[in-house]
Amino acid sequence: MTIQEMISILLSFPTNVFFIPFVIFLVVMLVDLVFNIVESVAPDVDLFDAENIPGAGLILPPILSKVPLMVALCVSFFVGTIVSFYLAQALSAVSDAGWMMVVEVVSMPLTAYLALFIAAWMLKPLAPLFDKKKSFARVDFIGLKGRVHSSLVNQNRGEVVVQHNGSEFLLDVRVIEPEMSMEYGDEVIIVSQNKTTKHYIVAKNS
């Protein structure tokens, strides 16, 4: 089979139903790796909330909700393209009759269903890498000591470096009192956190 013949099959029905979206999602995923477009536009969007749907595991593999949206879509449509490509090859070898169009249409949802489960199997080893709940341990910084990392800390801006269990954390901090300011290298203590802006309130450690 020549490259032209392969491309012709990929761009013909029903393989193009999977191949064209695969190409689009692949381009989006590659661009997203550089510019982080998807997370900035829709940071809280999950592909499928399969865990809260009774019986969803029979329709949709829950593992697909554990990986980034573009990765799940790209891999699913890639697998769908491969399955549809070889299925189209097999059908064309059997017959070129007009009724084969009906068979191809009927085969599309079956191909999509199979592609989802194959994609889930392929992505299962990668799922723990994208689990945000397990990626980072939550650290309670309240009461910890740190040192000013920025040139100063006031009511408008400031940064503090905190060491915890051998790791360094750079925190966005502020002070409450307008007359109070701290300079680079001053030792401070984390007093509280602003739940709205997520920055920490610090006081000079005397």
Side-chain angles (χ1 to χ4, degrees):
M1 177 185 295
T2 64
I3 296 178
Q4 289 80 4
E5 292 174 337
M6 183 177 69
I7 294 177
S8 177
I9 296 175
L10 290 174
L11 295 178
S12 61
F13 183 85
T15 307
N16 59 357
V17 175
F18 299 96
F19 177 68
I20 294 176
F22 161 67
V23 173
I24 295 174
F25 290 132
L26 178 62
V27 172
V28 173
M29 184 178 69
L30 294 177
V31 173
D32 184 57
L33 289 175
V34 179
F35 299 103
N36 200 27
I37 296 174
V38 175
E39 186 173 349
S40 60
V41 174
D44 298 324
V45 174
D46 291 328
L47 179 59
F48 305 109
D49 191 13
E51 294 180 351
N52 297 324
I53 304 177
L58 298 175
I59 304 174
L60 196 66
I63 195 67
L64 293 180
S65 65
K66 306 299 182 182
V67 299
L69 174 65
M70 284 299 107
V71 174
L73 289 174
C74 190
V75 174
S76 297
F77 277 99
F78 172 74
V79 175
T81 299
I82 299 299
V83 174
S84 181
F85 177 85
Y86 284 105
L87 181 60
Q89 287 284 89
L91 291 176
S92 64
V94 174
S95 175
D96 292 328
W99 58 267
M100 293 302 294
M101 176 65 72
V102 178
V103 177
E104 291 174 343
V105 172
V106 173
S107 69
M108 286 177 57
L110 299 177
T111 300
Y113 186 79
L114 180 62
L116 287 174
F117 278 88
I118 295 176
W121 175 77
M122 295 173 61
L123 292 171
K124 188 174 182 179
L126 300 179
L129 299 178
F130 299 106
D131 192 342
K132 296 181 179 180
K133 296 179 180 179
K134 298 180 181 178
S135 297
F136 301 97
R138 183 175 180 85
V139 179
D140 184 7
F141 294 104
I142 308 301
L144 298 182
K145 297 178 182 179
R147 290 195 177 275
V148 177
H149 181 73
S150 55
S151 59
L152 56 85
V153 176
N154 54 32
Q155 286 186 308
N156 300 316
R157 63 186 180 90
E159 292 180 339
V160 165
V161 172
V162 176
Q163 290 190 349
H164 180 72
N165 292 336
S167 300
E168 286 190 350
F169 299 89
L170 184 63
L171 306 181
D172 184 27
V173 300
R174 304 286 190 275
V175 295
I176 297 179
E177 296 81 0
E179 68 278 0
M180 180 182 294
S181 64
M182 304 166 195
E183 299 179 349
Y184 178 82
D186 287 348
E187 188 175 79
V188 299
I189 186 169
I190 311 298
V191 177
S192 62
Q193 183 183 25
N194 188 310
K195 300 301 182 182
T196 303
T197 61
K198 302 301 182 182
H199 67 255
Y200 290 88
I201 305 300
V202 298
K204 185 172 293 186
N205 187 37
S206 55

